[in-house]
Each structure stands twice: as structure tokens, then as C-alpha cells.
Amino acid sequence: MGTLANKTALVTGAGRGIGRAIAERLAAEGALVAVHYGSSAEAAAEVVSAIEAKGGLAFAIGTRLGRPGDARELWQRFDTEIARYADTSGVDIIVNNAGVAVYGTIDTVTEDDFDEVFAVNAKAPFFLLEHGLSRLRDGGRVVNVSSGAARIATPLTIAYSMTKGALNTLTRTLALELGPRGITVNAVEPGIVRTDITPWLADAELGAQAAGWAALGRVGEPDDIAGVVAFLASPDANWVTGQCVDASGGLLLGPVVRRG
């Protein structure tokens, strides 16, 4: 029996990258996982198949985030699908992972880009939780996937970084508000992770440079982040709330000194 046996989890943006790793890890720990996707039903189906092949339980729900009514639509689809597995639409773990990136300095980011990145990265998690709190059981877990970009000044990701700062504020505020129900709310801040939104890591020189920025001497992998999320979702983390947990391998802690 895993640490999350008899629990139900929702992971947004779970069709690829970090979200997929999180969904698979939570399922491996025993949770029934709702695999949310925005545009690729095929990718989500692959995740569900991979989970089921290892003896886990999962189902896919598709909703495009960043548009009016997205949160309500997502939960309606969740309610429909969960009925095949349970008598109630309760959920124990909500992982807000879905997000989009926009690259550009303050003089190049367009209003449309700004509105989209905030709609997906900040507005969608807010209203997903607003509509989900009635379903979230007492003693539950909320984990928001933020970013190290929220604490490191990076001109090229200024709009994206602002959304993650907003997500961190949501994390701390809801931790205080939901504490009386025994619900913990935390954020995880990945650094540079090898996913399809960091294709530049495939360049040997750029990849080596990025690895050198971390104290642990490498870039992150999706499983690195999934392990932190699984801990925060587990009973072992029942005394941790309102925290933004760095999961960057020690990114830009200071000048890197290599010994030996």
C-alpha cells in the first residue's frame, strides 16, 4: 500500500513534462489520478495507459485553461468521470501544474501575451481552487507548481515570473485560510528542468552552462519535481504549509566552487 492509497488527486497539465511525472508518481503511491490536459487527448491517454500498465488508476479530463468558465468546465468533467470510480466527487489532492511560458523583456511582451500567461498561470489556479474547495476533503493537500523564476530576477521571463509570484501569494494566503480544515497548501519552485519547453537544453554548450548554474551540477528532470510534490501530498508533510519549496538543485545560490 502506498502513502496515498484511497486518495483521489487532480493534476492539471498532466499530459507531458513535469505534470506527467507528478501524475505517474502520485498513482504509484496509490492515488486515483485525474489526468488533466489542455489540448492533447492523445498525450493524456498515454499517461493513463502508462499508469494502468503499472497497476494504478487514472482517467483523463480535457479542458482548455485560460478562458472564461474554464474552472467550472474542468470540475464538471471531473464530476462526470469520477462517478465511474467513486460515489462522491470528493478530491484529496489538487496539483496546479498547468502553465504556459512567455519570453520577452518589458519592452517586447505584448498585451495579448501578458493576458494569456496570467489567465493560464494565475487566474486558472485561483478559480480552479475556488470551485474545488467544496470538493476538497478536510485534511487534503494543495500543491501549486510555481518556479524559481519567482525569486530570481530574469528580464527575459518578466511576465511569466510575475505569474509565479502571484501563485506564491495564493499559496501562502490559502494556507492560512484553509488551515482550520487541516488542509495544507504549498508551492514547489522548480529551476531549469528538461522538458519540451526547454528545448535549448539539447544544445551541448547551453546545457552544460545551465548545469553549471546549479549547486548539484546538473539540470533537473521531471521526476525530481514529482518526488517533492509526492512528499508534500503525503501524510509525512502534514506539518508543512504555506511554504514555497525550492526544488532547483541549488540554482544560483552563489559562485559555484568545484572541488577535486
Side-chain angles (χ1 to χ4, degrees):
M1 299 289 286
T3 60
L4 302 179
N6 302 316
K7 303 293 186 182
T8 299
L10 165 68
V11 183
T12 65
R16 57 188 175 87
I18 292 173
R20 174 172 183 162
I22 292 170
E24 292 183 352
R25 178 61 184 271
L26 298 186
E29 294 294 338
L32 164 63
V33 180
V35 177
H36 164 264
Y37 66 92
S39 58
S40 178
E42 294 78 8
E46 288 180 11
V47 179
V48 172
S49 294
I51 289 172
E52 292 177 340
K54 294 181 179 180
L57 291 174
F59 59 89
I61 51 174
T63 303
R64 192 171 188 85
L65 300 180
R67 61 183 183 177
D70 53 1
R72 192 180 302 277
E73 178 183 326
L74 185 152
W75 283 115
Q76 288 173 344
R77 296 190 177 186
F78 175 90
D79 292 344
T80 298
E81 293 300 319
I82 196 69
R84 296 191 291 123
Y85 300 90
D87 294 332
T88 70
S89 58
V91 63
D92 302 284
I93 301 158
I94 298 174
V95 181
N96 283 307
N97 167 77
V100 297
V102 58
Y103 295 99
T105 56
I106 191 169
D107 55 343
T108 61
V109 172
T110 67
E111 285 193 41
D112 286 345
D113 287 341
F114 187 92
D115 288 344
E116 179 185 10
V117 75
F118 264 88
V120 177
N121 295 6
K123 183 179 178 181
F126 182 97
F127 286 100
L128 190 147
L129 290 171
E130 180 186 85
H131 292 292
L133 289 183
S134 62
R135 296 170 172 84
L136 186 60
R137 297 185 178 98
D138 290 354
R141 301 283 188 265
V142 175
V143 183
N144 297 318
V145 179
S146 180
S147 172
R151 61 177 177 81
I152 299 171
T154 309
L156 193 60
T157 65
I158 183 170
Y160 171 82
S161 300
M162 289 172 66
T163 68
K164 296 304 185 177
L167 196 59
N168 288 353
T169 297
L170 175 65
T171 298
R172 289 187 290 267
T173 306
L174 280 186
L176 181 63
E177 185 172 353
L178 300 180
R181 292 179 56 192
I183 296 170
T184 67
V185 186
N186 293 288
V188 176
E189 296 181 337
I192 300 173
V193 181
R194 197 183 308 277
T195 69
D196 58 2
I197 67 169
T198 53
W200 53 272
L201 288 175
D203 181 279
E205 183 176 348
L206 293 177
Q209 184 180 39
W213 292 335
L216 294 180
R218 66 174 176 85
V219 299
E221 301 292 342
D223 285 344
D224 295 322
I225 312 307
V228 180
V229 173
F231 164 70
L232 292 173
S234 76
D236 287 338
N238 67 348
W239 201 236
V240 180
T241 195
Q243 302 305 302
C244 300
V245 181
D246 182 284
S248 69
L251 183 67
L252 297 179
L253 284 177
V256 177
V257 178
R258 303 298 182 197
R259 300 182 183 276

PDB file of all heavy atoms in Angstrom, residues 1-26:
ATOM      1  N   MET A   1       0.843  -1.192   0.000  1.00  0.00           N
ATOM      2  CA  MET A   1       0.000   0.000   0.000  1.00  0.00           C
ATOM      3  C   MET A   1       0.876   1.239   0.000  1.00  0.00           C
ATOM      4  O   MET A   1       1.789   1.386   0.818  1.00  0.00           O
ATOM      5  CB  MET A   1      -0.909   0.000   1.227  1.00  0.00           C
ATOM      6  CG  MET A   1      -1.863  -1.169   1.291  1.00  0.00           C
ATOM      7  SD  MET A   1      -3.178  -1.053   0.049  1.00  0.00           S
ATOM      8  CE  MET A   1      -4.181   0.234   0.786  1.00  0.00           C
ATOM      9  N   GLY A   2       0.620   2.171  -0.928  1.00  0.00           N
ATOM     10  CA  GLY A   2       1.400   3.392  -0.999  1.00  0.00           C
ATOM     11  C   GLY A   2       0.917   4.414   0.007  1.00  0.00           C
ATOM     12  O   GLY A   2      -0.114   4.242   0.669  1.00  0.00           O
ATOM     13  N   THR A   3       1.650   5.503   0.094  1.00  0.00           N
ATOM     14  CA  THR A   3       1.307   6.553   1.055  1.00  0.00           C
ATOM     15  C   THR A   3       0.009   7.262   0.702  1.00  0.00           C
ATOM     16  O   THR A   3      -0.573   7.948   1.551  1.00  0.00           O
ATOM     17  CB  THR A   3       2.429   7.598   1.144  1.00  0.00           C
ATOM     18  OG1 THR A   3       2.624   8.186  -0.156  1.00  0.00           O
ATOM     19  CG2 THR A   3       3.729   6.965   1.611  1.00  0.00           C
ATOM     20  N   LEU A   4      -0.448   7.130  -0.555  1.00  0.00           N
ATOM     21  CA  LEU A   4      -1.659   7.828  -0.988  1.00  0.00           C
ATOM     22  C   LEU A   4      -2.796   6.873  -1.330  1.00  0.00           C
ATOM     23  O   LEU A   4      -3.698   7.217  -2.098  1.00  0.00           O
ATOM     24  CB  LEU A   4      -1.340   8.720  -2.197  1.00  0.00           C
ATOM     25  CG  LEU A   4      -0.253   9.768  -1.974  1.00  0.00           C
ATOM     26  CD1 LEU A   4      -0.003  10.563  -3.237  1.00  0.00           C
ATOM     27  CD2 LEU A   4      -0.613  10.700  -0.817  1.00  0.00           C
ATOM     28  N   ALA A   5      -2.754   5.686  -0.768  1.00  0.00           N
ATOM     29  CA  ALA A   5      -3.818   4.707  -1.023  1.00  0.00           C
ATOM     30  C   ALA A   5      -5.162   5.289  -0.608  1.00  0.00           C
ATOM     31  O   ALA A   5      -5.281   5.965   0.418  1.00  0.00           O
ATOM     32  CB  ALA A   5      -3.539   3.414  -0.258  1.00  0.00           C
ATOM     33  N   ASN A   6      -6.167   5.053  -1.444  1.00  0.00           N
ATOM     34  CA  ASN A   6      -7.543   5.509  -1.211  1.00  0.00           C
ATOM     35  C   ASN A   6      -7.699   7.025  -1.315  1.00  0.00           C
ATOM     36  O   ASN A   6      -8.705   7.571  -0.855  1.00  0.00           O
ATOM     37  CB  ASN A   6      -8.051   5.028   0.155  1.00  0.00           C
ATOM     38  CG  ASN A   6      -8.016   3.524   0.291  1.00  0.00           C
ATOM     39  OD1 ASN A   6      -8.408   2.797  -0.625  1.00  0.00           O
ATOM     40  ND2 ASN A   6      -7.528   3.040   1.432  1.00  0.00           N
ATOM     41  N   LYS A   7      -6.720   7.705  -1.907  1.00  0.00           N
ATOM     42  CA  LYS A   7      -6.814   9.137  -2.143  1.00  0.00           C
ATOM     43  C   LYS A   7      -7.128   9.402  -3.615  1.00  0.00           C
ATOM     44  O   LYS A   7      -6.806   8.603  -4.494  1.00  0.00           O
ATOM     45  CB  LYS A   7      -5.504   9.847  -1.775  1.00  0.00           C
ATOM     46  CG  LYS A   7      -5.053   9.641  -0.344  1.00  0.00           C
ATOM     47  CD  LYS A   7      -5.993  10.300   0.653  1.00  0.00           C
ATOM     48  CE  LYS A   7      -5.431  10.202   2.074  1.00  0.00           C
ATOM     49  NZ  LYS A   7      -6.360  10.795   3.069  1.00  0.00           N
ATOM     50  N   THR A   8      -7.733  10.556  -3.863  1.00  0.00           N
ATOM     51  CA  THR A   8      -8.012  10.986  -5.230  1.00  0.00           C
ATOM     52  C   THR A   8      -7.277  12.281  -5.488  1.00  0.00           C
ATOM     53  O   THR A   8      -7.315  13.201  -4.667  1.00  0.00           O
ATOM     54  CB  THR A   8      -9.520  11.206  -5.444  1.00  0.00           C
ATOM     55  OG1 THR A   8     -10.217   9.967  -5.221  1.00  0.00           O
ATOM     56  CG2 THR A   8      -9.802  11.694  -6.855  1.00  0.00           C
ATOM     57  N   ALA A   9      -6.596  12.341  -6.629  1.00  0.00           N
ATOM     58  CA  ALA A   9      -5.801  13.524  -6.964  1.00  0.00           C
ATOM     59  C   ALA A   9      -6.187  14.063  -8.331  1.00  0.00           C
ATOM     60  O   ALA A   9      -6.541  13.310  -9.240  1.00  0.00           O
ATOM     61  CB  ALA A   9      -4.311  13.177  -6.954  1.00  0.00           C
ATOM     62  N   LEU A  10      -6.106  15.387  -8.448  1.00  0.00           N
ATOM     63  CA  LEU A  10      -6.238  16.058  -9.744  1.00  0.00           C
ATOM     64  C   LEU A  10      -4.913  16.738 -10.043  1.00  0.00           C
ATOM     65  O   LEU A  10      -4.392  17.494  -9.205  1.00  0.00           O
ATOM     66  CB  LEU A  10      -7.353  17.100  -9.709  1.00  0.00           C
ATOM     67  CG  LEU A  10      -7.360  18.112 -10.873  1.00  0.00           C
ATOM     68  CD1 LEU A  10      -7.708  17.435 -12.188  1.00  0.00           C
ATOM     69  CD2 LEU A  10      -8.320  19.264 -10.581  1.00  0.00           C
ATOM     70  N   VAL A  11      -4.367  16.479 -11.224  1.00  0.00           N
ATOM     71  CA  VAL A  11      -3.133  17.127 -11.657  1.00  0.00           C
ATOM     72  C   VAL A  11      -3.410  17.830 -12.977  1.00  0.00           C
ATOM     73  O   VAL A  11      -3.755  17.182 -13.975  1.00  0.00           O
ATOM     74  CB  VAL A  11      -1.982  16.117 -11.852  1.00  0.00           C
ATOM     75  CG1 VAL A  11      -0.695  16.845 -12.242  1.00  0.00           C
ATOM     76  CG2 VAL A  11      -1.757  15.292 -10.587  1.00  0.00           C
ATOM     77  N   THR A  12      -3.301  19.150 -12.997  1.00  0.00           N
ATOM     78  CA  THR A  12      -3.531  19.874 -14.243  1.00  0.00           C
ATOM     79  C   THR A  12      -2.270  19.874 -15.092  1.00  0.00           C
ATOM     80  O   THR A  12      -1.156  19.807 -14.581  1.00  0.00           O
ATOM     81  CB  THR A  12      -3.979  21.324 -13.990  1.00  0.00           C
ATOM     82  OG1 THR A  12      -2.920  22.058 -13.353  1.00  0.00           O
ATOM     83  CG2 THR A  12      -5.226  21.362 -13.115  1.00  0.00           C
ATOM     84  N   GLY A  13      -2.466  19.930 -16.396  1.00  0.00           N
ATOM     85  CA  GLY A  13      -1.330  19.912 -17.315  1.00  0.00           C
ATOM     86  C   GLY A  13      -0.515  18.643 -17.177  1.00  0.00           C
ATOM     87  O   GLY A  13       0.726  18.683 -17.196  1.00  0.00           O
ATOM     88  N   ALA A  14      -1.201  17.510 -17.062  1.00  0.00           N
ATOM     89  CA  ALA A  14      -0.524  16.245 -16.747  1.00  0.00           C
ATOM     90  C   ALA A  14      -0.221  15.393 -17.968  1.00  0.00           C
ATOM     91  O   ALA A  14       0.195  14.241 -17.823  1.00  0.00           O
ATOM     92  CB  ALA A  14      -1.370  15.444 -15.758  1.00  0.00           C
ATOM     93  N   GLY A  15      -0.385  15.938 -19.150  1.00  0.00           N
ATOM     94  CA  GLY A  15      -0.142  15.151 -20.353  1.00  0.00           C
ATOM     95  C   GLY A  15       1.312  15.058 -20.754  1.00  0.00           C
ATOM     96  O   GLY A  15       1.680  14.234 -21.598  1.00  0.00           O
ATOM     97  N   ARG A  16       2.168  15.893 -20.141  1.00  0.00           N
ATOM     98  CA  ARG A  16       3.575  15.897 -20.546  1.00  0.00           C
ATOM     99  C   ARG A  16       4.433  16.492 -19.439  1.00  0.00           C
ATOM    100  O   ARG A  16       3.940  17.063 -18.478  1.00  0.00           O
ATOM    101  CB  ARG A  16       3.756  16.718 -21.823  1.00  0.00           C
ATOM    102  CG  ARG A  16       3.265  18.153 -21.704  1.00  0.00           C
ATOM    103  CD  ARG A  16       3.272  18.880 -23.037  1.00  0.00           C
ATOM    104  NE  ARG A  16       2.692  20.220 -22.949  1.00  0.00           N
ATOM    105  CZ  ARG A  16       3.367  21.316 -22.616  1.00  0.00           C
ATOM    106  NH1 ARG A  16       4.662  21.226 -22.317  1.00  0.00           N
ATOM    107  NH2 ARG A  16       2.784  22.491 -22.561  1.00  0.00           N
ATOM    108  N   GLY A  17       5.724  16.343 -19.582  1.00  0.00           N
ATOM    109  CA  GLY A  17       6.692  17.006 -18.734  1.00  0.00           C
ATOM    110  C   GLY A  17       6.513  16.764 -17.250  1.00  0.00           C
ATOM    111  O   GLY A  17       6.296  15.637 -16.785  1.00  0.00           O
ATOM    112  N   ILE A  18       6.622  17.835 -16.483  1.00  0.00           N
ATOM    113  CA  ILE A  18       6.530  17.744 -15.030  1.00  0.00           C
ATOM    114  C   ILE A  18       5.167  17.211 -14.601  1.00  0.00           C
ATOM    115  O   ILE A  18       5.076  16.383 -13.690  1.00  0.00           O
ATOM    116  CB  ILE A  18       6.796  19.125 -14.392  1.00  0.00           C
ATOM    117  CG1 ILE A  18       8.263  19.522 -14.598  1.00  0.00           C
ATOM    118  CG2 ILE A  18       6.459  19.108 -12.908  1.00  0.00           C
ATOM    119  CD1 ILE A  18       8.588  20.939 -14.151  1.00  0.00           C
ATOM    120  N   GLY A  19       4.102  17.658 -15.253  1.00  0.00           N
ATOM    121  CA  GLY A  19       2.767  17.203 -14.890  1.00  0.00           C
ATOM    122  C   GLY A  19       2.608  15.705 -15.054  1.00  0.00           C
ATOM    123  O   GLY A  19       2.011  15.033 -14.198  1.00  0.00           O
ATOM    124  N   ARG A  20       3.148  15.170 -16.138  1.00  0.00           N
ATOM    125  CA  ARG A  20       3.068  13.720 -16.336  1.00  0.00           C
ATOM    126  C   ARG A  20       3.825  12.979 -15.239  1.00  0.00           C
ATOM    127  O   ARG A  20       3.324  11.983 -14.692  1.00  0.00           O
ATOM    128  CB  ARG A  20       3.638  13.343 -17.700  1.00  0.00           C
ATOM    129  CG  ARG A  20       3.702  11.832 -17.901  1.00  0.00           C
ATOM    130  CD  ARG A  20       4.073  11.411 -19.296  1.00  0.00           C
ATOM    131  NE  ARG A  20       4.029   9.959 -19.410  1.00  0.00           N
ATOM    132  CZ  ARG A  20       3.962   9.279 -20.547  1.00  0.00           C
ATOM    133  NH1 ARG A  20       3.949   9.940 -21.695  1.00  0.00           N
ATOM    134  NH2 ARG A  20       3.909   7.967 -20.546  1.00  0.00           N
ATOM    135  N   ALA A  21       5.008  13.449 -14.925  1.00  0.00           N
ATOM    136  CA  ALA A  21       5.798  12.796 -13.879  1.00  0.00           C
ATOM    137  C   ALA A  21       5.071  12.827 -12.544  1.00  0.00           C
ATOM    138  O   ALA A  21       5.096  11.851 -11.784  1.00  0.00           O
ATOM    139  CB  ALA A  21       7.166  13.466 -13.767  1.00  0.00           C
ATOM    140  N   ILE A  22       4.415  13.945 -12.246  1.00  0.00           N
ATOM    141  CA  ILE A  22       3.661  14.059 -10.993  1.00  0.00           C
ATOM    142  C   ILE A  22       2.499  13.068 -10.987  1.00  0.00           C
ATOM    143  O   ILE A  22       2.270  12.351  -9.995  1.00  0.00           O
ATOM    144  CB  ILE A  22       3.145  15.492 -10.794  1.00  0.00           C
ATOM    145  CG1 ILE A  22       4.319  16.446 -10.551  1.00  0.00           C
ATOM    146  CG2 ILE A  22       2.151  15.552  -9.637  1.00  0.00           C
ATOM    147  CD1 ILE A  22       3.928  17.917 -10.571  1.00  0.00           C
ATOM    148  N   ALA A  23       1.743  13.032 -12.076  1.00  0.00           N
ATOM    149  CA  ALA A  23       0.594  12.122 -12.146  1.00  0.00           C
ATOM    150  C   ALA A  23       1.033  10.673 -11.960  1.00  0.00           C
ATOM    151  O   ALA A  23       0.405   9.907 -11.206  1.00  0.00           O
ATOM    152  CB  ALA A  23      -0.122  12.296 -13.490  1.00  0.00           C
ATOM    153  N   GLU A  24       2.108  10.290 -12.622  1.00  0.00           N
ATOM    154  CA  GLU A  24       2.574   8.910 -12.521  1.00  0.00           C
ATOM    155  C   GLU A  24       3.090   8.603 -11.116  1.00  0.00           C
ATOM    156  O   GLU A  24       2.885   7.497 -10.602  1.00  0.00           O
ATOM    157  CB  GLU A  24       3.647   8.649 -13.574  1.00  0.00           C
ATOM    158  CG  GLU A  24       3.089   8.667 -14.997  1.00  0.00           C
ATOM    159  CD  GLU A  24       4.139   8.333 -16.055  1.00  0.00           C
ATOM    160  OE1 GLU A  24       5.336   8.240 -15.709  1.00  0.00           O
ATOM    161  OE2 GLU A  24       3.749   8.158 -17.224  1.00  0.00           O
ATOM    162  N   ARG A  25       3.749   9.567 -10.487  1.00  0.00           N
ATOM    163  CA  ARG A  25       4.261   9.332  -9.139  1.00  0.00           C
ATOM    164  C   ARG A  25       3.132   9.213  -8.118  1.00  0.00           C
ATOM    165  O   ARG A  25       3.143   8.325  -7.243  1.00  0.00           O
ATOM    166  CB  ARG A  25       5.212  10.465  -8.742  1.00  0.00           C
ATOM    167  CG  ARG A  25       5.770  10.345  -7.326  1.00  0.00           C
ATOM    168  CD  ARG A  25       6.595   9.064  -7.132  1.00  0.00           C
ATOM    169  NE  ARG A  25       7.029   8.943  -5.749  1.00  0.00           N
ATOM    170  CZ  ARG A  25       8.178   9.467  -5.287  1.00  0.00           C
ATOM    171  NH1 ARG A  25       8.991  10.141  -6.109  1.00  0.00           N
ATOM    172  NH2 ARG A  25       8.526   9.303  -4.032  1.00  0.00           N
ATOM    173  N   LEU A  26       2.131  10.089  -8.205  1.00  0.00           N
ATOM    174  CA  LEU A  26       1.012  10.010  -7.275  1.00  0.00           C
ATOM    175  C   LEU A  26       0.246   8.701  -7.445  1.00  0.00           C
ATOM    176  O   LEU A  26      -0.196   8.097  -6.463  1.00  0.00           O
ATOM    177  CB  LEU A  26       0.073  11.204  -7.460  1.00  0.00           C
ATOM    178  CG  LEU A  26       0.667  12.594  -7.193  1.00  0.00           C
ATOM    179  CD1 LEU A  26      -0.426  13.659  -7.282  1.00  0.00           C
ATOM    180  CD2 LEU A  26       1.357  12.664  -5.841  1.00  0.00           C
TER     181      LEU A  26
END
